[in-house]
Each structure stands twice: as C-alpha cells, then as structure tokens.
Amino acid sequence: MEFEGRDVIDIRDFSREEVEFILDVSQKFEPIAAGQRRSNLLQGYVLCNLFFEPSTRTRLSFSSAMMRLGGSVTGFATGATSSIAKGETLSDTVRVVENYCDVMVLRSNKEGAARLAADLSSKPVINAGDGSRQHPTQTLLDLYTIRKEFGRIDGLSIALVGDLKYGRTVHSLSYGLTKYDVDLCLVSPPELRMPEEVIEDLEKEGLNVKETSDLSQVVRESDVLYVTRIQKERFPDPTEYERMKGAYSVDAKLLQDAKKGLIVMHPLPRVDEISPDVDSLPNARYFQQVFSGLVVRMALLSLVLGRWGD
Amino acid sequence: MAEAGTELRVKKIRDGTVIDHIKAGYGPAVLRILGVTKDFDKVLTMAMNVPSSRTGRKDIVKVEGRELARSELNKISLITPDATVNIIRDYEVRKKVRVSLPKRIQGIVRCINPNCVTNAGEPVEPTFDVVSRDPIRLRCTYCGKFLEEKEIMDQF
C-alpha cells in the first residue's frame, strides 16, 4: 500500500484494505489526540487550509491534527479573504499555494473542485468537501466511529436520515459502505431522496439498499442511525427549504423503541434534527465522532506526507 | 458505400465527405454538429430513413468540397457511434473512416451540472467517461453527473 504523495479526493479511490489500514493507523494516534502524549512527527511540515466554504470541525480538526503532530498551519477560512474575491481562479490559487505548503486541504462549493486541484498540484490534496459530492475524511471518521463501537462494520444495519439529496457526507459514507457487507436504509422526504446516480452506483457495487420514510420502524431495526441536517445553503429555492426543515426529528421518545445498542451519529452541525435530550442518552455518538475526526486526519496527514512508520 | 437504389435519392459527389450509416432520425443532429445554418455555403444533401440492409433504416449526409476534421468526427461518434465517413476525391472513395467513440472524451460537450467545477470559469476542459455507447451515456469525471442522450443532443 502506497500512501506517500497521494491525494484524498474520493473514498472510492481507496480499497477496503486501504481503508482498514487507515483506520488501524488512526487508532494509534488516540493518545496524542487526547493530549496524553506529545509528538513531533510532522515537525517542519506545513499544511495549507483552502476553505472557500464555512467550516468549524473540518478546518479546526485538520489544523489541530497537524499541530498536535508538531506541524504548522497556514491558509484561509473563507474565499472572501483570498484572491478568489478579486476574481482569481481556483486553478491559479492552487498553483500558487502549492509553493507554500507540503499538503493542501480544500473545501469548495464547486463539485469536482478537489479533483481539479489535485490534477494541478504537485503536493497532496485532501478533499474537505466539494459541494454536494464527496467528503472522504468525514467518511473515514464515520467508519472509524462505527468500527470502534461495534468492533466491525460488516453485518450491521445502517440508516441514513434526512437530506440525502444535497448532503455530501451521506453520499460519501454510502460509497464507503459499499466496501462492507451492510444493509443500508435511506430515510428522507421524497423531495430529498438520494440522487438516482448514487443509488445506481451503490446497487452496482452490490450494496443492499432500501428506501423508506418510516423512521420509527427504522429505529427498531438499525444498529446505526446517521442523521443529517437539512442544509439551507444548498437549496436553490428557499421556500423548498422552509417546507423541508424539521422533516425528521430524533428525540428521546423516538429512541425508546430503538434496537438494543443503536448508536446515533451526526456529522454536525445540527439544528433541530436531533433533540438535546438525546445528548445524555447512551445512544449518542456525535461528539465522539469529532474525536474520531482528529485521529483519522492525523493518520491521513502522516500517511500522505510519508511520515508514518518513522 | 451507398446501397442499391440509394444513388437515385442521393447522387454521387466529386469531392467532399459522405457520412453514411447515421442512425435513422439523427441526420438533423449531424447537421447541427457540422454547424449547418443559413450561412453554410457548401452543397449539402441529407437523406433520411434510407433503407439499409444492416440497420433497416439510416440517414446519410453528403457535404461537397469539405473534408471533416477529427473533432467533428468525435462529436458525430457521440450521437451515432456506428456511422461511417467516406472522404471522396474525384468521385472515388479515398478514405473510409468508421467513427469511433473513445473511452474518455474531452471538450466536446459541457457538463449539465451548473455547480460542476468545469462550469465555474476554471481553465479546464469538461471531461467525461463513456458509460454506455448506444444509447450514449457519459459521466463527468469531475462532478460525477451523468449526461443522457437527450442532454447531449441538446448541446448540438
């Protein structure tokens, strides 16, 4: 398995063995992520964050991962403070920024932006989300969280709930799950169904996919309930958003009938799709996902920079 | 080239290009690819629904005094992958080319996803993997969106 210099654009670019290896490496970083051990593994290396879309977790988590390993971080958190605001293309920005860093983390609302950046950059590019399309590091941290909880991913019943049309985390995760033997249940309002092309891909990969709108039944049958926010910013029509918001809400009452051991996950930020009364239940895992994000990103940075094993 | 009886409908040309075995009904789309408008100044003949022993019916386009460029052949291959192109010089077929659809095409059509990075003013050529040949189906290598035949035809 070769990771040095590799781009992380789409979870489909990685085999199951490679995904499992990344998750194994991630686990080794837990003490460092928790601040119990210090590391200088990436000392002298520079990460550049290019975030053209707002982000709290992904950007801070990449920064924290880099700094916890002794590396440095530069970049910008919004396109408004970069030359993009002056009309510079992403292509030019990437060609410039690659001179300043050893690895680039890119988030853009344009689908395929990370692939384009990777084509242009001689330094590894990590996709931190491109429009409604892919978010591979979120997928890896989701898989890490699930595997840590159950000790396996095969054989589980996983439900994705909410905005399956625009949500890149669910598109990306469902592609990631094709590497495993799972039952996938898609729960959404009809208007926010998983895009046809994604379902087609999943079925072609042999994934057992079921679509439903009955959340209470799903809660009784699933091991993982992966809830997503209805994303206001992706709706072309604000009235459509107003109709859809609050379509599904997970609360303590709903979870009373949950399958034993069910965990509730969410890529965050949440708005009102998970009630705060779930936070204290043993099912809630969304804040643990944040920690998973840190270790997975430490692993990825070490691997693509060729420093793992040193 | 032309099958028995076809000559009566579409007469031989001296120099130019004959596009034969166009999928029946797709002749007008081929004209759009060739940029045939009211300002087109070459002699051009189109026959539609000509009997064909191979496919039952076919369309034929003949353009006098012009040999098609590779880029035009590539576009034609998108909508009618079994067409044959004959270059005619002094009434003789000098070159017979079967249009061929590559596995990956670049720059011929644009992605229909307005949010695709190839539609964002970046200096990048739209690139597609050919998922299916007939009917044609493409997939954008950047955003992953499928382009169906109608969406491709609408661009010509």
Side-chain angles (χ1 to χ4, degrees), chain A residues 204-224:
Chain A
K204 205 152 71 186
E205 291 295 323
L207 196 66
N208 186 9
V209 184
K210 187 174 90 179
E211 288 185 272
T212 178
S213 53
D214 183 359
L215 186 57
S216 53
Q217 182 61 29
V218 167
V219 163
R220 283 192 282 270
E221 295 170 352
S222 301
D223 299 298
V224 177

PDB file of all heavy atoms in Angstrom, chain A residues 204-224:
ATOM      1  N   LYS A 204     -24.924  -1.158  -8.027  1.00  0.00           N
ATOM      2  CA  LYS A 204     -23.946  -1.801  -8.904  1.00  0.00           C
ATOM      3  C   LYS A 204     -22.820  -2.433  -8.086  1.00  0.00           C
ATOM      4  O   LYS A 204     -22.252  -3.443  -8.457  1.00  0.00           O
ATOM      5  CB  LYS A 204     -23.382  -0.763  -9.883  1.00  0.00           C
ATOM      6  CG  LYS A 204     -22.874  -1.386 -11.160  1.00  0.00           C
ATOM      7  CD  LYS A 204     -22.938  -0.469 -12.344  1.00  0.00           C
ATOM      8  CE  LYS A 204     -21.920   0.637 -12.245  1.00  0.00           C
ATOM      9  NZ  LYS A 204     -22.021   1.627 -13.289  1.00  0.00           N
ATOM     10  N   GLU A 205     -22.517  -1.806  -6.953  1.00  0.00           N
ATOM     11  CA  GLU A 205     -21.468  -2.342  -6.072  1.00  0.00           C
ATOM     12  C   GLU A 205     -21.989  -3.484  -5.195  1.00  0.00           C
ATOM     13  O   GLU A 205     -21.273  -3.998  -4.343  1.00  0.00           O
ATOM     14  CB  GLU A 205     -20.918  -1.229  -5.169  1.00  0.00           C
ATOM     15  CG  GLU A 205     -20.114  -0.164  -5.901  1.00  0.00           C
ATOM     16  CD  GLU A 205     -18.834  -0.696  -6.511  1.00  0.00           C
ATOM     17  OE1 GLU A 205     -18.189  -1.552  -5.893  1.00  0.00           O
ATOM     18  OE2 GLU A 205     -18.478  -0.278  -7.637  1.00  0.00           O
ATOM     19  N   GLY A 206     -23.282  -3.776  -5.342  1.00  0.00           N
ATOM     20  CA  GLY A 206     -23.848  -4.909  -4.613  1.00  0.00           C
ATOM     21  C   GLY A 206     -24.362  -4.569  -3.222  1.00  0.00           C
ATOM     22  O   GLY A 206     -24.647  -5.469  -2.425  1.00  0.00           O
ATOM     23  N   LEU A 207     -24.484  -3.283  -2.924  1.00  0.00           N
ATOM     24  CA  LEU A 207     -24.972  -2.892  -1.600  1.00  0.00           C
ATOM     25  C   LEU A 207     -26.482  -3.101  -1.534  1.00  0.00           C
ATOM     26  O   LEU A 207     -27.205  -2.774  -2.472  1.00  0.00           O
ATOM     27  CB  LEU A 207     -24.634  -1.418  -1.341  1.00  0.00           C
ATOM     28  CG  LEU A 207     -24.726  -0.943   0.106  1.00  0.00           C
ATOM     29  CD1 LEU A 207     -23.668  -1.615   0.963  1.00  0.00           C
ATOM     30  CD2 LEU A 207     -24.505   0.576   0.170  1.00  0.00           C
ATOM     31  N   ASN A 208     -26.927  -3.646  -0.406  1.00  0.00           N
ATOM     32  CA  ASN A 208     -28.352  -3.879  -0.215  1.00  0.00           C
ATOM     33  C   ASN A 208     -29.001  -2.575   0.271  1.00  0.00           C
ATOM     34  O   ASN A 208     -28.819  -2.176   1.408  1.00  0.00           O
ATOM     35  CB  ASN A 208     -28.509  -5.006   0.820  1.00  0.00           C
ATOM     36  CG  ASN A 208     -29.943  -5.429   0.975  1.00  0.00           C
ATOM     37  OD1 ASN A 208     -30.814  -5.003   0.204  1.00  0.00           O
ATOM     38  ND2 ASN A 208     -30.201  -6.239   1.972  1.00  0.00           N
ATOM     39  N   VAL A 209     -29.735  -1.877  -0.619  1.00  0.00           N
ATOM     40  CA  VAL A 209     -30.276  -0.553  -0.304  1.00  0.00           C
ATOM     41  C   VAL A 209     -31.800  -0.607  -0.232  1.00  0.00           C
ATOM     42  O   VAL A 209     -32.454  -1.170  -1.110  1.00  0.00           O
ATOM     43  CB  VAL A 209     -29.886   0.480  -1.396  1.00  0.00           C
ATOM     44  CG1 VAL A 209     -30.376   1.877  -1.014  1.00  0.00           C
ATOM     45  CG2 VAL A 209     -28.388   0.496  -1.621  1.00  0.00           C
ATOM     46  N   LYS A 210     -32.326   0.007   0.839  1.00  0.00           N
ATOM     47  CA  LYS A 210     -33.782   0.076   0.989  1.00  0.00           C
ATOM     48  C   LYS A 210     -34.140   1.534   1.255  1.00  0.00           C
ATOM     49  O   LYS A 210     -33.458   2.219   2.004  1.00  0.00           O
ATOM     50  CB  LYS A 210     -34.175  -0.805   2.184  1.00  0.00           C
ATOM     51  CG  LYS A 210     -35.670  -0.982   2.378  1.00  0.00           C
ATOM     52  CD  LYS A 210     -35.935  -1.986   3.501  1.00  0.00           C
ATOM     53  CE  LYS A 210     -36.028  -1.250   4.836  1.00  0.00           C
ATOM     54  NZ  LYS A 210     -36.302  -2.102   5.988  1.00  0.00           N
ATOM     55  N   GLU A 211     -35.237   2.006   0.651  1.00  0.00           N
ATOM     56  CA  GLU A 211     -35.679   3.381   0.904  1.00  0.00           C
ATOM     57  C   GLU A 211     -37.003   3.366   1.652  1.00  0.00           C
ATOM     58  O   GLU A 211     -37.883   2.580   1.319  1.00  0.00           O
ATOM     59  CB  GLU A 211     -35.857   4.141  -0.413  1.00  0.00           C
ATOM     60  CG  GLU A 211     -34.549   4.482  -1.087  1.00  0.00           C
ATOM     61  CD  GLU A 211     -34.759   5.342  -2.318  1.00  0.00           C
ATOM     62  OE1 GLU A 211     -34.961   4.760  -3.404  1.00  0.00           O
ATOM     63  OE2 GLU A 211     -34.726   6.574  -2.205  1.00  0.00           O
ATOM     64  N   THR A 212     -37.131   4.236   2.628  1.00  0.00           N
ATOM     65  CA  THR A 212     -38.376   4.314   3.391  1.00  0.00           C
ATOM     66  C   THR A 212     -38.549   5.721   3.956  1.00  0.00           C
ATOM     67  O   THR A 212     -37.614   6.513   3.975  1.00  0.00           O
ATOM     68  CB  THR A 212     -38.385   3.282   4.536  1.00  0.00           C
ATOM     69  OG1 THR A 212     -39.578   3.422   5.287  1.00  0.00           O
ATOM     70  CG2 THR A 212     -37.203   3.456   5.471  1.00  0.00           C
ATOM     71  N   SER A 213     -39.744   6.007   4.438  1.00  0.00           N
ATOM     72  CA  SER A 213     -39.937   7.289   5.122  1.00  0.00           C
ATOM     73  C   SER A 213     -40.387   7.047   6.570  1.00  0.00           C
ATOM     74  O   SER A 213     -40.660   7.982   7.308  1.00  0.00           O
ATOM     75  CB  SER A 213     -40.959   8.145   4.363  1.00  0.00           C
ATOM     76  OG  SER A 213     -42.133   7.396   4.167  1.00  0.00           O
ATOM     77  N   ASP A 214     -40.455   5.766   6.975  1.00  0.00           N
ATOM     78  CA  ASP A 214     -40.956   5.416   8.306  1.00  0.00           C
ATOM     79  C   ASP A 214     -39.800   5.309   9.304  1.00  0.00           C
ATOM     80  O   ASP A 214     -39.210   4.241   9.496  1.00  0.00           O
ATOM     81  CB  ASP A 214     -41.732   4.093   8.207  1.00  0.00           C
ATOM     82  CG  ASP A 214     -42.351   3.697   9.528  1.00  0.00           C
ATOM     83  OD1 ASP A 214     -42.153   4.437  10.530  1.00  0.00           O
ATOM     84  OD2 ASP A 214     -43.034   2.664   9.576  1.00  0.00           O
ATOM     85  N   LEU A 215     -39.508   6.433   9.947  1.00  0.00           N
ATOM     86  CA  LEU A 215     -38.354   6.492  10.841  1.00  0.00           C
ATOM     87  C   LEU A 215     -38.523   5.591  12.075  1.00  0.00           C
ATOM     88  O   LEU A 215     -37.567   4.974  12.537  1.00  0.00           O
ATOM     89  CB  LEU A 215     -38.100   7.944  11.257  1.00  0.00           C
ATOM     90  CG  LEU A 215     -36.852   8.207  12.089  1.00  0.00           C
ATOM     91  CD1 LEU A 215     -35.590   7.722  11.388  1.00  0.00           C
ATOM     92  CD2 LEU A 215     -36.716   9.693  12.401  1.00  0.00           C
ATOM     93  N   SER A 216     -39.744   5.506  12.605  1.00  0.00           N
ATOM     94  CA  SER A 216     -39.931   4.740  13.846  1.00  0.00           C
ATOM     95  C   SER A 216     -39.612   3.259  13.625  1.00  0.00           C
ATOM     96  O   SER A 216     -39.028   2.598  14.490  1.00  0.00           O
ATOM     97  CB  SER A 216     -41.335   4.936  14.396  1.00  0.00           C
ATOM     98  OG  SER A 216     -42.277   4.648  13.394  1.00  0.00           O
ATOM     99  N   GLN A 217     -39.974   2.735  12.460  1.00  0.00           N
ATOM    100  CA  GLN A 217     -39.664   1.337  12.147  1.00  0.00           C
ATOM    101  C   GLN A 217     -38.153   1.152  11.983  1.00  0.00           C
ATOM    102  O   GLN A 217     -37.575   0.181  12.471  1.00  0.00           O
ATOM    103  CB  GLN A 217     -40.404   0.938  10.843  1.00  0.00           C
ATOM    104  CG  GLN A 217     -40.211  -0.503  10.416  1.00  0.00           C
ATOM    105  CD  GLN A 217     -40.727  -1.513  11.450  1.00  0.00           C
ATOM    106  OE1 GLN A 217     -41.663  -1.222  12.197  1.00  0.00           O
ATOM    107  NE2 GLN A 217     -40.072  -2.661  11.520  1.00  0.00           N
ATOM    108  N   VAL A 218     -37.538   2.107  11.337  1.00  0.00           N
ATOM    109  CA  VAL A 218     -36.098   2.050  11.081  1.00  0.00           C
ATOM    110  C   VAL A 218     -35.319   2.016  12.406  1.00  0.00           C
ATOM    111  O   VAL A 218     -34.345   1.268  12.555  1.00  0.00           O
ATOM    112  CB  VAL A 218     -35.666   3.266  10.222  1.00  0.00           C
ATOM    113  CG1 VAL A 218     -34.156   3.424  10.194  1.00  0.00           C
ATOM    114  CG2 VAL A 218     -36.215   3.127   8.810  1.00  0.00           C
ATOM    115  N   VAL A 219     -35.771   2.808  13.359  1.00  0.00           N
ATOM    116  CA  VAL A 219     -35.105   2.876  14.664  1.00  0.00           C
ATOM    117  C   VAL A 219     -35.132   1.510  15.363  1.00  0.00           C
ATOM    118  O   VAL A 219     -34.192   1.121  16.055  1.00  0.00           O
ATOM    119  CB  VAL A 219     -35.791   3.973  15.527  1.00  0.00           C
ATOM    120  CG1 VAL A 219     -35.438   3.830  16.988  1.00  0.00           C
ATOM    121  CG2 VAL A 219     -35.410   5.344  15.012  1.00  0.00           C
ATOM    122  N   ARG A 220     -36.189   0.756  15.119  1.00  0.00           N
ATOM    123  CA  ARG A 220     -36.310  -0.570  15.742  1.00  0.00           C
ATOM    124  C   ARG A 220     -35.378  -1.610  15.113  1.00  0.00           C
ATOM    125  O   ARG A 220     -35.098  -2.634  15.706  1.00  0.00           O
ATOM    126  CB  ARG A 220     -37.767  -1.067  15.656  1.00  0.00           C
ATOM    127  CG  ARG A 220     -38.685  -0.406  16.691  1.00  0.00           C
ATOM    128  CD  ARG A 220     -40.021  -1.122  16.760  1.00  0.00           C
ATOM    129  NE  ARG A 220     -40.895  -0.747  15.658  1.00  0.00           N
ATOM    130  CZ  ARG A 220     -41.753   0.263  15.688  1.00  0.00           C
ATOM    131  NH1 ARG A 220     -41.852   0.991  16.778  1.00  0.00           N
ATOM    132  NH2 ARG A 220     -42.510   0.543  14.653  1.00  0.00           N
ATOM    133  N   GLU A 221     -34.937  -1.324  13.884  1.00  0.00           N
ATOM    134  CA  GLU A 221     -34.185  -2.352  13.142  1.00  0.00           C
ATOM    135  C   GLU A 221     -32.702  -2.021  12.928  1.00  0.00           C
ATOM    136  O   GLU A 221     -31.956  -2.879  12.482  1.00  0.00           O
ATOM    137  CB  GLU A 221     -34.825  -2.548  11.755  1.00  0.00           C
ATOM    138  CG  GLU A 221     -36.233  -3.108  11.831  1.00  0.00           C
ATOM    139  CD  GLU A 221     -36.941  -3.082  10.483  1.00  0.00           C
ATOM    140  OE1 GLU A 221     -36.382  -2.491   9.537  1.00  0.00           O
ATOM    141  OE2 GLU A 221     -38.040  -3.637  10.403  1.00  0.00           O
ATOM    142  N   SER A 222     -32.308  -0.778  13.213  1.00  0.00           N
ATOM    143  CA  SER A 222     -30.952  -0.360  12.819  1.00  0.00           C
ATOM    144  C   SER A 222     -29.938  -0.434  13.956  1.00  0.00           C
ATOM    145  O   SER A 222     -30.290  -0.307  15.130  1.00  0.00           O
ATOM    146  CB  SER A 222     -30.986   1.083  12.298  1.00  0.00           C
ATOM    147  OG  SER A 222     -31.857   1.167  11.203  1.00  0.00           O
ATOM    148  N   ASP A 223     -28.679  -0.602  13.565  1.00  0.00           N
ATOM    149  CA  ASP A 223     -27.585  -0.507  14.534  1.00  0.00           C
ATOM    150  C   ASP A 223     -27.040   0.916  14.586  1.00  0.00           C
ATOM    151  O   ASP A 223     -26.556   1.372  15.612  1.00  0.00           O
ATOM    152  CB  ASP A 223     -26.444  -1.452  14.108  1.00  0.00           C
ATOM    153  CG  ASP A 223     -26.910  -2.893  14.067  1.00  0.00           C
ATOM    154  OD1 ASP A 223     -27.310  -3.403  15.128  1.00  0.00           O
ATOM    155  OD2 ASP A 223     -26.922  -3.490  12.977  1.00  0.00           O
ATOM    156  N   VAL A 224     -27.091   1.579  13.422  1.00  0.00           N
ATOM    157  CA  VAL A 224     -26.571   2.952  13.341  1.00  0.00           C
ATOM    158  C   VAL A 224     -27.630   3.849  12.717  1.00  0.00           C
ATOM    159  O   VAL A 224     -28.171   3.540  11.650  1.00  0.00           O
ATOM    160  CB  VAL A 224     -25.294   3.018  12.465  1.00  0.00           C
ATOM    161  CG1 VAL A 224     -24.810   4.457  12.326  1.00  0.00           C
ATOM    162  CG2 VAL A 224     -24.200   2.123  13.029  1.00  0.00           C
TER     163      VAL A 224
END
